[in-house]
């Protein structure tokens, strides 16, 4: 999967855990299946924009903020990967 898909999973998990919610609770708040939420958090599925909006709304943040957080993490992970590749050379 792409870095952005993996980053979405990380951000969703962090926000869910910050609220003290289980995956099941997030699924209920976002009207999604619990196993689907788990797949998103593990970065194993590409969520539609409608699904991402449901997650953002359930987590109490706007869609642009959620996507910006995902992009920020993806960029940080890419920079780390580049640094590690440079060290390996």
């Amino acid at each position: 999967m792409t870095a952005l898909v993996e980053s979405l999973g990380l951000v969703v998990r962090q926000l869910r855990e910050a609220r003290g919610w289980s995956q099941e609770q997030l699924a209920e708040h976002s009207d999604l299946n619990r196993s689907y939420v788990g797949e998103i958090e593990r970065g194993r599925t590409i969520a539609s924009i409608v699904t991402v909006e449901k997650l953002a709304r359930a987590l109490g943040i706007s869609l642009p903020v959620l996507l910006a957080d995902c992009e920020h993490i993806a960029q940080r992970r890419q920079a780390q990967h580049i640094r590690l590749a440079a060290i390996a050379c």
Side-chain angles (χ1 to χ4, degrees), residues 69-85:
D69 288 350
C70 295
E71 181 64 20
H72 179 72
I73 287 177
Q75 289 174 350
R76 274 198 345 228
R77 293 182 82 190
Q78 184 177 18
Q80 284 177 326
H81 180 69
I82 291 169
R83 281 195 299 273
L84 290 175

Side-chain angles (χ1 to χ4, degrees), residues 5-22:
V5 172
E6 292 173 356
S7 297
L8 173 65
L10 290 173
V11 170
V12 168
R13 178 178 290 142
Q14 289 170 352
L15 292 169
R16 175 182 61 76
E17 289 177 347
R19 283 157 182 73
W21 290 353
S22 66

Side-chain angles (χ1 to χ4, degrees), residues 36-52:
Y36 186 54
V37 169
E39 291 292 311
I40 292 169
E41 286 189 359
R42 287 187 292 282
R44 294 189 177 161
T45 191
I46 300 173
S48 73
I49 194 72
V50 172
T51 297
V52 177

